[in-house]
Amino acid sequence: MARFKELCLDTTAEDGRIAEFWAAVGGGRAESYTSTEVPDVVGALEHQNIAICPVPEAKTAKNRVHLDVYARAVEDVVALGARVDRPAEETGFGWTTMLDPEGNELCVFVRPDLSALPAWRVHGMGIDSVDSAAIARWWAEALDAELVDHTAHGDGWWTVEHATPDDTFTWDFAPVPEPKTVKNRLHWDLYGTKQEFVDRGARLLWEMPRWTVLADPEGNEFCVFPEP
């Protein structure tokens, strides 16, 4: 059975600012393994890492995958380099939609007493979906996780819980009318085998020396590493 490894975020910047931003927001640290590498976000545990991946192409469309974070105040996140996209009063859901220094969307949930929260403040991943029920079920089965149906509330959301070692981290699949058109700038890495995902209906994109890049039935990219 496959298991979660870490998140990966594309960047066009070479100065490390995106890692510094997400390390400060999430509660980790920005760290380079060599003097020439762009730093990654390193958490206390592997599943809290965010690998920063330099790419040549700039962001051109709304991200279909974004992160949800806790913060003491929206102003704290602004001070780190983000800007408000839609305030909580406008979203109607109690969270503020923001853009990080490279324009990547994130949702900020204000919790004034951060001491009552986990040290790692990235607590969820939102995934736009054409068929939220089908793709949520696909991932729940692939990761032996729990599937939660929120459609009774009329919003069409499905959630996958316990897909990572962090019990608070959820995968929230929301229906959207538009299909995926460009490569996701945020994806996830897993431990497992290529074949188990191909057998489930994943599409092989390309092979790398240490991992395999695949796409789920809605085209979301993910990487599979062999167990260490």
Side-chain angles (χ1 to χ4, degrees):
M1 179 64 66
R3 63 185 180 94
F4 187 82
K5 180 179 186 292
E6 64 187 0
L7 294 166
C8 300
L9 178 64
D10 288 353
T11 181
T12 55
E14 298 180 357
D15 57 7
R17 60 177 175 155
I18 201 68
E20 292 169 359
F21 171 84
W22 279 102
V25 168
R29 66 187 189 278
E31 183 175 298
S32 296
Y33 296 98
T34 70
S35 60
T36 59
E37 286 186 348
V38 173
D40 294 321
V41 178
V42 180
L45 299 169
E46 183 183 40
H47 66 271
Q48 298 169 342
N49 294 347
I50 305 175
I52 304 299
C53 305
V55 297
E57 63 273 9
K59 181 177 184 286
T60 58
K62 174 181 176 287
N63 289 353
R64 290 181 75 82
V65 183
H66 71 268
L67 294 179
D68 297 336
V69 303
Y70 291 123
R72 184 177 58 81
V74 168
E75 292 76 15
D76 291 352
V77 186
V78 171
L80 295 171
R83 58 189 174 89
V84 174
D85 179 38
R86 297 179 64 201
E89 298 78 16
E90 195 174 302
T91 67
F93 294 105
W95 61 75
T96 298
T97 303
M98 304 187 72
L99 304 175
D100 77 6
E102 287 201 19
N104 298 300
E105 292 83 3
L106 65 148
C107 290
V108 174
F109 294 68
V110 173
R111 300 291 187 270
D113 184 10
L114 285 183
S115 64
L117 297 172
W120 182 245
R121 296 186 292 274
V122 179
H123 67 88
M125 180 166 58
I127 304 166
D128 289 352
S129 312
V130 174
D131 187 338
S132 57
I135 196 62
R137 183 173 293 107
W138 193 88
W139 277 108
E141 292 173 354
L143 296 175
D144 193 24
E146 181 180 350
L147 182 66
V148 181
D149 179 1
H150 296 293
T151 56
H153 302 293
D155 53 18
W157 286 55
W158 290 74
T159 293
V160 174
E161 297 181 347
H162 312 298
T164 82
D166 186 346
D167 286 340
T168 67
F169 192 92
T170 58
W171 302 33
D172 299 307
F173 294 84
V176 296
E178 67 274 6
K180 182 176 182 288
T181 58
V182 296
K183 173 180 174 286
N184 288 341
R185 296 187 75 79
L186 179 70
H187 71 272
W188 47 93
D189 293 344
L190 307 170
Y191 288 118
T193 67
K194 168 183 67 177
Q195 196 59 48
E196 67 183 296
F197 284 100
V198 171
D199 290 346
R200 290 181 180 276
R203 179 164 49 97
L204 176 63
L205 296 181
W206 59 86
E207 297 277 6
M208 298 295 288
R210 294 192 301 112
W211 64 84
T212 301
V213 185
L214 300 111
D216 72 12
E218 289 215 357
N220 298 302
E221 299 86 1
F222 64 100
C223 298
V224 175
F225 289 70
E227 285 283 355

